[in-house]
């Protein structure tokens, strides 16, 4: 029996690698520039590779950066040093991280379930639509998911040599936190599990190692003294926020496994009855998953499958932003385990034979339709086409924007990569403050993007243009909701700057 299992590992791994590639590669635009947060990470990586330090190289003043933690930018900087600033290489690196993360989570599934159940869960993870959609993106999620899986595997390694395992775990914890700050929740869950298993010495070594590794980042935050993510917490109206976030994540958790059906019904379909019905279904599905997580807490070998999502959701419910459900992507493996345990418990009550195996097959079957549909209809390509107007505006600035000076826009890092021009975010709704910013830096153009994503807030530059129409002139557009305005009123002398990179990713 053991020999058969061991000989099945290699072909099973190849199967999962193949499924992951089939899911991720068609969803990846390898020549697409980084977008939104990904563009911010890419700029930080470029700044590090150019020797500018951990600074926002797209900004005219290149201020020190404190919002994004540094590990993923450092990885990108290393990639740029080796092969140049290539979009293709950055996307391919994310694909490699996602493939490795899938195999690593499958190894974790094998530790807590039988080989057959583990391969079914691993297959459901490999074809998961959110896993595939973000698996090749220039974002921190692929690397963070890999580090999460490695931390889970290291947490349940052999008991011998606690010092070495504590050092390894501490390093993985710190790397996770410095890739995405939500890694604090992963570390908290694993340390809590150690204490419940009375592994106090291991927990102490791990925490000391983690703390030592985090000291440079904490010192940097203290030195800069502004812009950290901790400043985004809002305590006013916290109860209202908790209720809103609870409803949001209740709706999004089934979508992470099945497809964005609840999101479509509650956001895009303007019918209250439809929204109510789908919300009810989401509540039922989420209750089954939560019940499954609760069940894992009663089995020490599976306890982390429940502790990690519970600790993470405690933070997400209090966090004032949702990122359209993106924060749930690292929880997809835990959602699979929760669904498995929840449905198997339900099947057990119905007295069905092999309840866990039936639940695993059900999850795999339910996970399959939307990824197949998305790949067949090229949904990822359609999503990328929504940036067409923004990209056209950037192309106009590159070829026809002859006025020297930086650009003011809501997404400066995105513009920087496509134009080579320094850019800034408005950061305010007040037209007078925007005017002062224009004068201070000698801003040459304003790029207005009204609808970058669903339910996006109004671009503050639109209000400025209406109230200060005498100092700007339409230079390009309107092209959909994107337009470029040239600043025609004189700015203060000596502030203009339009330094460009050695060329953005080709």
């Amino acid at each position: 029996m053991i020999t058969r299992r061991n000989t099945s590992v290699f072909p099973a791994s190849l199967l999962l690698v193949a499924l992951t590639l089939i899911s991720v590669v068609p969803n990846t635009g390898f020549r697409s520039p980084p977008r939104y947060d990904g563009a911010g990470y890419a700029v930080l990586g470029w700044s590090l590779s150019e020797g500018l330090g951990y600074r926002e190289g797209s900004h005219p003043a290149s201020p020190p950066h404190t919002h994004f933690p540094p590990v993923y930018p450092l990885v990108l900087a290393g990639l740029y040093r080796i092969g140049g600033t290539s979009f293709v290489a950055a996307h391919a690196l994310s694909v490699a991280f996602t493939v490795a993360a899938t195999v690593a989570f499958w190894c974790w599934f094998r530790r807590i379930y039988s080989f057959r159940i583990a391969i079914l869960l691993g297959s459901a993870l490999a074809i998961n639509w959110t896993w595939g959609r973000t698996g090749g993106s220039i974002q921190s999620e692929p690397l963070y998911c890999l580090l999460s899986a490695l931390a889970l595997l290291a947490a349940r390694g052999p008991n011998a040599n606690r010092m070495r395992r504590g050092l390894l775990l501490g390093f993985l914890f710190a790397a996770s936190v410095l890739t995405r700050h939500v890694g604090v929740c992963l570390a908290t869950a694993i340390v809590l599990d150690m204490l419940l298993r009375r592994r106090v010495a291991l927990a102490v070594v791990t925490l000391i190692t983690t703390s030592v590794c985090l000291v440079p980042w904490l010192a940097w935050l203290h030195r800069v003294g502004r812009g950290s993510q901790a400043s985004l917490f809002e305590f006013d109206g916290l109860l209202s926020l908790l209720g809103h976030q609870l409803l949001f994540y209740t709706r999004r958790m089934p979508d992470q496994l099945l497809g964005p059906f609840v999101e479509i019904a509650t956001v895009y379909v303007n019918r209250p009855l439809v929204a109510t019905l789908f919300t009810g279904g989401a509540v039922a599905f989420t209750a089954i998953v939560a019940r499954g997580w609760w069940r894992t807490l009663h089995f020490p070998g599976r306890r982390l499958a429940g502790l990690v999502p519970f600790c993470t959701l405690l933070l997400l419910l209090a966090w004032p932003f949702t990122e359209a459900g993106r924060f749930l992507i690292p929880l997809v493996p835990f959602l699979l385990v929760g669904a498995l345990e929840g449905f198997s418990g339900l099947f057990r009550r119905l007295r069905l034979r092999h309840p866990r195996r039936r639940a695993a097959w059900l999850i795999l079957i339910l996970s399959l339709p939307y990824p197949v549909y998305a790949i067949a209809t090229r949904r990822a390509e359609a999503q990328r086409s929504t940036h067409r107007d923004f990209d056209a505006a950037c192309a106009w600035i590159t070829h026809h924007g002859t006025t020297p000076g930086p650009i003011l826009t809501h997404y400066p890092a995105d513009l920087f990569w496509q134009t080579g021009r320094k850019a800034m975010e408005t950061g305010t709704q007040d037209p007078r403050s925007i005017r002062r910013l224009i004068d201070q830096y000698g801003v040459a153009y304003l790029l207005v993007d009204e609808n970058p994503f669903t339910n996006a807030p109004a671009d503050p530059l639109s209000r400025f243009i209406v109230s200060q129409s005498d100092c700007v002139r339409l230079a390009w557009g309107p092209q959909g909701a994107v337009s470029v305005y040239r600043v025609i009123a004189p700015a203060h002398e000596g502030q203009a700057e339009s330094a460009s990179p050695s060329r953005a990713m080709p």
Side-chain angles (χ1 to χ4, degrees):
M1 181 67 178
I2 294 177
T3 303
R4 181 181 177 184
R5 170 179 286 194
N6 291 339
T7 57
S8 302
V9 168
F10 183 69
S13 300
L14 288 181
L15 171 64
L16 292 177
V17 169
L19 288 176
T20 307
L21 291 174
I22 291 171
S23 175
V24 173
V25 171
N27 281 299
T28 303
F30 285 93
R31 297 191 178 277
S32 299
R35 305 284 184 184
Y36 307 138
D37 284 0
Y41 285 117
V43 166
L44 291 169
W46 175 82
S47 298
L48 289 167
S49 68
E50 293 293 315
L52 301 177
Y54 204 60
R55 295 177 173 272
E56 298 172 19
S58 59
H59 192 282
S62 296
H65 185 85
T66 57
H67 185 73
F68 295 134
V71 165
Y72 185 55
L74 283 168
V75 170
L76 289 177
L79 181 68
Y80 299 162
R81 284 290 185 91
I82 295 172
T85 50
S86 165
F87 288 152
V88 176
H91 284 293
L93 183 63
S94 290
V95 172
F97 285 148
T98 301
V99 170
T102 304
V103 175
F105 270 113
W106 171 63
C107 293
W108 180 60
F109 293 152
R110 288 181 59 219
R111 288 190 176 183
I112 60 179
Y113 293 116
S114 67
F115 185 87
R116 181 178 298 181
I117 299 299
I119 196 63
L120 291 173
L121 284 182
S123 299
L125 177 62
I127 65 171
N128 178 265
W129 76 278
T130 53
W131 205 254
R133 185 179 65 174
T134 61
S137 61
I138 302 175
Q139 292 280 10
S140 59
E141 277 82 5
L143 175 58
Y144 177 76
C145 290
L146 174 58
L147 291 171
S148 299
L150 294 178
L152 290 169
L153 291 173
R156 286 304 179 92
N159 290 328
N161 205 330
R162 294 176 184 174
M163 178 65 72
R164 184 182 301 174
R165 188 148 66 99
L167 292 172
L168 174 61
L169 269 172
F171 174 79
L172 290 172
F173 284 176
S176 299
V177 173
L178 295 177
T179 301
R180 292 194 65 85
H181 285 138
V182 75
V184 170
C185 301
L186 173 74
T188 300
I190 294 178
V191 169
L192 181 58
D193 179 64
M194 290 179 188
L195 296 177
L196 291 173
R197 292 187 293 122
R198 300 181 181 180
R199 302 289 191 267
V200 178
L202 177 61
V204 170
V205 173
T206 300
L207 289 174
I208 292 174
T209 306
T210 304
S211 301
V212 170
C213 293
L214 292 179
V215 164
W217 175 240
L218 296 176
W220 173 257
L221 294 179
H222 177 73
R223 175 186 173 188
V224 176
R226 57 170 178 79
S228 68
Q229 292 190 22
S231 64
L232 298 176
F233 272 109
E234 299 176 358
F235 295 99
D236 292 337
L238 182 59
L239 291 178
S240 175
L241 174 65
L242 291 174
H244 176 272
Q245 303 296 70
L246 179 61
L247 176 61
F248 176 87
Y249 286 112
T250 297
R251 286 172 166 173
R252 290 298 175 271
M253 279 199 274
D255 279 0
Q256 297 299 310
L257 299 186
L258 310 181
F261 302 112
V262 180
E263 179 183 10
I264 292 171
T266 56
V267 176
Y268 298 98
V269 178
N270 191 21
R271 295 182 181 180
L273 179 59
V274 173
T276 301
L277 290 174
F278 274 80
T279 298
V283 169
F285 189 94
T286 301
I288 291 174
V289 172
R291 172 63 178 169
W293 286 337
W294 181 258
R295 283 171 52 84
T296 64
L297 299 182
H298 297 84
F299 299 92
R302 299 174 189 146
R303 188 161 47 209
L304 284 174
L307 280 178
V308 172
F310 279 137
C311 290
T312 304
L313 287 170
L314 285 176
L315 175 63
L316 295 184
L317 291 177
W319 191 246
F321 305 101
T322 59
E323 297 290 330
R326 173 185 156 201
F327 295 152
L328 289 176
I329 294 172
L331 292 184
V332 168
F334 305 95
L335 285 166
L336 290 170
V337 174
L340 174 71
E341 290 294 328
F343 278 108
S344 64
L346 183 61
F347 292 162
R348 193 172 289 109
R349 289 188 177 185
L350 296 175
R351 299 178 181 273
L352 298 179
R353 297 180 59 191
H354 309 297
R356 183 168 284 126
R357 189 186 308 172
R358 288 176 183 268
W361 274 110
L362 175 65
I363 293 166
L364 178 59
I365 292 170
L366 292 177
S367 300
L368 190 59
Y370 188 80
V372 172
Y373 160 78
I375 293 174
T377 58
R378 298 182 177 179
R379 294 294 301 163
E381 186 176 329
Q383 177 65 29
R384 289 192 291 272
S385 71
T386 62
H387 302 289
R388 180 176 54 246
D389 294 341
F390 181 89
D391 295 346
C394 290
W396 184 90
I397 292 173
T398 300
H399 298 292
H400 304 288
T402 56
T403 303
I407 317 296
L408 198 59
T409 180
H410 199 52
Y411 297 102
D414 301 60
L415 185 142
F416 173 78
W417 280 114
Q418 297 196 51
T419 66
R421 297 281 291 263
K422 297 285 187 174
M424 297 176 295
E425 186 176 3
T426 55
T428 177
Q429 296 283 343
D430 180 18
R432 289 174 297 180
S433 298
I434 294 176
R435 178 70 232 188
R436 287 195 294 269
L437 191 65
I438 291 173
D439 291 342
Q440 179 183 358
Y441 289 99
V443 170
Y445 296 95
L446 313 179
L447 191 154
V448 183
D449 190 353
E450 284 291 357
N451 298 305
F453 51 86
T454 303
N455 293 332
D459 193 326
L461 290 177
S462 298
R463 181 181 175 187
F464 171 80
I465 290 167
V466 171
S467 63
Q468 305 280 333
S469 58
D470 59 326
C471 67
V472 295
R473 179 177 298 166
L474 182 66
W476 180 89
Q479 185 74 22
V482 181
S483 51
V484 178
Y485 289 81
R486 182 168 62 88
V487 178
I488 58 176
H492 297 321
E493 295 182 1
Q495 299 293 338
E497 158 116 55
S498 67
S500 62
S502 54
R503 265 326 289 169
M505 293 185 182

